[in-house]
Amino acid sequence: MTDHMKQRFANHTQAGTDVLIIGAGVNGAGLFRDLALQGLNCVIVDKSDFGSGTSAAPSRLIHGGLKYLETGEFGLVAQSALERNLLLKNAAHCVEALPTFIPVFSWTRGIWAALRTLLGSKTAPRSRGAVLVKIGLSLYDYFGSRDRVMPRHRLVLKRRARQEMPHVTQDIVAGGIYFDAKISRPERLVFELVEDGLKANENCFAAGYATLVASKDGTVTFALADGTELSLRPGLVVNAAGPWIDKVNDTLGEPSRLIGGTKGSHILLDHPELVRSLNGHMIYFEADDGRICLVYGYFGLALVGSTDIPASNPDEVRCEGPEIDYFLESLRSLLPTLRFDRGQVTFSYSGIRPLPASDATAPGLISRDHSAPILEPRGDRPFAIMSLVGGKWTTFRGFAEEAADTVLARLGRERVLSTRYLAIGGGRDFPTDEAARSEWVGATAKATGKPVKRVNELLGRYGTTASAMLTSRSAHSDDERLSGASHYSFLEIDWIARQELVVHLSDIVLRRTTLAIEGCLTMEGLQDIGRIAGEAFGWSEDRITSEVAAVVTVLREFHGQDIRGGRGGVGERPMSRPASA
């Protein structure tokens, strides 16, 4: 724990805990930020790093939920589309528009199946024809009209569709083109939500790697990573542990069965020809078995997802071989003129969606809406427990606002600030057009003496936080670059280690940066990062060696990535693309 966080710990201990949030995924972090902005003294803890669970395993989309129209969840679509539009404004440093192509294989197929699903059938519709796609996209535009920032959809015939997507199978009859959004660094955004909360209220406290030890007589106790014991007497507890919600409630003395999660896996392909052919678009398509899949460009790679399989153990979840084969076969069917094989896979990841317990026969039909059931105080537990169930990445702010309003009402407090148009982290004062961006970059380059190109790169990576990073005092220079990943500097790693609540080396590699998922990490680069972090934290050589080994193990066991020496970085196959994106 840094000296600054020790002072925060002391401040919070003296001020007392209004709300304890257990779980620092996007829902918990969003609520922490909202409540801190209202002046409540909050603590947020997680058993691992911030944003390291389900929030680190999405399709990296910020979307309105087109497929939820089929199940009649119009309210969820409307909220999701609104929150998508707001994030494009509030987190412009990591959320950007994503034109999306839907291949259409018939004109009228799927209408009756869609009507049955809309009326409550538990069987998912198959093969959505052009009529159904047109109706769906028109409704999608309608529900996305609030705070609209993107163009409306269009439906194009086969010839034009294949001009847009030249490798798509000849079997299509048309294509739909609409806009959603993607998020480049979801894990960083979770951290920035926590950081915003800490900045908003000096009496708030946040800790990763906090183990819930006991809950007794109104006191909840955690063991922190540095051996410190954190004992709190909260006015209210929020269980935001995602797929671990039932386990946390059990430890709090209130067994529950709220979660019925499904597993979602993704892979990253090193496939330059595919990425070029996508031309900045995502293809949102139906696989041969009726499941929805997607593929789009992500840092020069192709991101492919996602599965939807019932699963219950979030601690051991990983992308399995049959899932990889499923993705590759689906791509071969959709894009028959391109070659796909396992040797192109550079990274894989998987997570458990914390969906509400459901008897739906098709996992895709389980609602992605959210709820916040409350267990009232009883016996020797004087605090209520609110559980944040379900939800999706895109709607975290709206979910947090609803939950915060409930908390404020229970504690007799009033909302003093709305988060609706409040920028997040590096999105604050982010230049909104090319002229403003050029002005910001030019001014920062002049003030720091850094090349315009480099400042622009860091602005895209960290938002306006890049200015503070470049002007920080550090023993390391921005001109010193990581081995095998020259687009990252020693200065960046040092800043992250010292400023961003890092505990382990994996926090830097997997969440504060995109080094691992980009597939550009080498053993030499990892050792560079270990040395820089070791200097910041006073680690011994043995500790640095242990941290490096732990990262290698996690990448191999959970992400299918084998870190070795040289510039290859993944297995024995050399990179076929530049490291920068």
Side-chain angles (χ1 to χ4, degrees):
M1 193 185 302
T2 65
D3 290 342
H4 179 62
M5 292 308 293
K6 287 178 181 177
Q7 183 59 54
R8 275 190 172 275
F9 185 36
N11 290 347
H12 183 84
T13 301
Q14 184 175 0
T17 308
D18 294 320
V19 180
L20 165 64
I21 301 172
I22 302 174
V26 69
N27 285 335
L31 180 59
F32 177 74
R33 172 184 183 246
D34 198 326
L35 292 176
L37 287 163
Q38 314 315 318
L40 268 65
N41 299 332
C42 302
V43 170
I44 186 168
V45 295
D46 196 283
K47 73 184 189 70
S48 188
D49 187 26
F50 309 108
S52 61
T54 296
S55 295
S59 295
R60 298 175 183 260
L61 298 177
I62 300 297
H63 66 108
L66 180 64
K67 67 179 181 179
Y68 310 142
L69 291 172
E70 292 180 334
T71 51
E73 296 181 274
F74 299 139
L76 176 60
V77 175
Q79 183 185 33
S80 299
L82 170 63
E83 295 298 335
R84 174 200 65 193
N85 294 346
L86 294 177
L87 275 168
L88 282 162
K89 299 176 181 178
N90 295 333
H93 60 309
C94 61
V95 178
E96 60 182 301
L98 179 62
T100 301
F101 177 85
I102 301 179
V104 181
F105 295 90
S106 70
W107 292 104
T108 60
R109 201 174 298 166
I111 294 176
W112 297 115
L115 287 173
R116 288 196 302 270
T117 303
L118 190 61
L119 294 173
S121 170
K122 299 299 183 181
T123 303
R126 291 282 305 276
S127 190
R128 302 148 182 90
V131 172
L132 200 59
V133 169
K134 179 65 177 179
I135 293 171
L137 292 180
S138 296
L139 285 171
Y140 203 53
D141 283 341
Y142 170 75
F143 286 119
S145 60
R146 288 183 294 171
D147 284 282
R148 181 186 300 280
V149 292
M150 295 183 293
R152 298 178 184 274
H153 84 279
R154 54 194 174 97
L155 191 69
V156 296
L157 299 181
K158 179 175 180 175
R159 178 181 293 181
R160 180 60 186 274
R162 295 202 75 250
Q163 288 175 348
E164 299 269 359
M165 294 290 135
H167 292 288
V168 169
T169 174
Q170 291 270 10
D171 294 339
I172 65 170
V173 302
I177 298 176
Y178 71 99
F179 282 79
D180 259 327
K182 63 180 178 179
I183 178 168
S184 57
R185 297 172 175 84
E187 303 90 346
R188 274 201 66 83
L189 196 68
V190 173
F191 166 74
E192 290 183 345
L193 289 167
V194 173
E195 186 179 46
D196 281 356
L198 293 172
K199 289 178 178 178
N201 184 346
E202 277 292 325
N203 292 329
C204 288
F205 182 74
Y209 300 95
T211 304
L212 176 57
V213 176
S215 175
K216 185 177 181 181
D217 299 326
T219 298
V220 185
T221 303
F222 297 88
L224 303 186
D226 64 354
T228 304
E229 187 175 89
L230 176 64
S231 293
L232 307 168
R233 294 186 63 83
L236 185 144
V237 170
V238 176
N239 182 351
W244 294 273
I245 278 178
D246 291 325
K247 184 175 181 179
V248 168
N249 279 342
D250 189 47
T251 305
L252 293 173
E254 294 290 350
S256 64
R257 293 297 177 265
L258 297 173
I259 299 298
T262 67
K263 173 187 176 184
S265 295
H266 300 77
I267 59 174
L268 279 295
L269 300 179
D270 185 5
H271 199 315
E273 187 178 5
L274 169 60
V275 173
R276 283 194 301 270
S277 73
L278 291 171
N279 193 29
H281 288 64
M282 174 173 74
I283 303 181
Y284 185 71
F285 66 101
E286 184 178 8
D288 290 340
D289 64 353
R291 285 191 284 185
I292 296 296
C293 293
L294 56 89
V295 56
Y296 67 93
Y298 180 81
F299 290 110
L301 300 169
L303 189 153
V304 187
S306 141
T307 53
D308 204 359
I309 304 168
S312 59
N313 186 356
D315 291 309
E316 294 298 324
V317 66
R318 68 197 72 193
C319 183
E320 306 287 351
E323 293 175 282
I324 295 175
D325 292 338
Y326 169 77
F327 289 138
L328 297 177
E329 189 55 41
S330 297
L331 289 172
R332 291 185 190 111
S333 179
L334 177 72
L335 306 164
T337 58
L338 294 176
R339 180 185 63 83
F340 297 97
D341 60 60
R342 282 202 176 198
Q344 297 162 335
V345 180
T346 65
F347 191 86
S348 63
Y349 64 93
S350 191
I352 301 291
R353 302 177 182 93
L355 304 179
S358 170
D359 61 356
T361 56
L365 294 181
I366 301 174
S367 176
R368 267 53 173 178
D369 209 345
H370 52 257
S371 63
I374 296 175
L375 296 168
E376 298 294 343
R378 70 177 183 87
D380 64 352
R381 177 174 56 79
F383 51 80
I385 302 172
M386 171 189 286
S387 297
L388 303 186
V389 178
K392 51 200 286 286
W393 231 103
T394 305
T395 57
F396 78 84
R397 190 213 63 87
F399 191 8
E401 185 176 64
E402 294 168 21
D405 286 342
T406 299
V407 170
L408 290 167
R410 292 184 70 94
L411 298 180
R413 305 284 287 272
E414 294 184 357
R415 176 172 291 277
V416 298
L417 180 65
S418 171
T419 59
R420 182 160 177 160
Y421 298 109
L422 192 64
I424 301 169
R428 193 168 293 109
D429 299 322
F430 192 84
T432 56
D433 55 43
E434 284 304 315
R437 186 178 185 121
S438 179
E439 181 180 354
W440 190 95
V441 168
T444 304
K446 183 177 181 180
T448 60
K450 297 298 177 184
V452 166
K453 183 179 179 180
R454 176 59 175 166
V455 174
N456 195 51
E457 180 180 41
L458 294 179
L459 175 64
R461 189 174 296 161
Y462 304 105
T464 52
T465 302
S467 177
M469 179 183 290
L470 286 171
T471 56
S472 63
R473 294 182 179 178
S474 173
H476 296 285
S477 165
D478 189 55
D479 296 327
E480 300 174 280
R481 301 303 176 92
L482 294 181
S483 301
S486 60
H487 56 312
Y488 270 89
S489 71
F490 284 21
L491 173 66
E492 291 173 73
I493 303 303
D494 186 56
W495 166 275
I496 289 168
R498 295 178 186 274
Q499 302 293 330
E500 297 191 346
L501 303 183
V502 166
V503 175
H504 291 292
L505 201 61
S506 58
D507 303 339
I508 300 174
V509 171
L510 284 162
R511 288 172 289 277
R512 304 300 187 275
T513 72
T514 53
L515 281 162
I517 198 170
E518 286 184 62
C520 59
L521 191 66
T522 64
M523 181 59 75
E524 290 90 339
L526 183 57
Q527 290 168 342
D528 287 341
I529 299 168
R531 285 190 293 271
I532 297 166
E535 292 172 13
F537 300 131
W539 287 344
S540 66
E541 285 298 321
D542 286 345
R543 173 69 185 272
I544 293 172
T545 300
S546 174
E547 291 282 339
V548 168
V551 171
V552 171
T553 298
V554 166
L555 291 176
R556 183 181 64 248
E557 296 296 323
F558 289 93
H559 301 288
Q561 191 175 85
D562 189 8
I563 302 298
R564 300 184 183 181
R567 294 186 61 84
V570 181
E572 298 177 339
R573 180 178 49 78
M575 300 296 290
S576 59
R577 63 188 177 85
S580 60

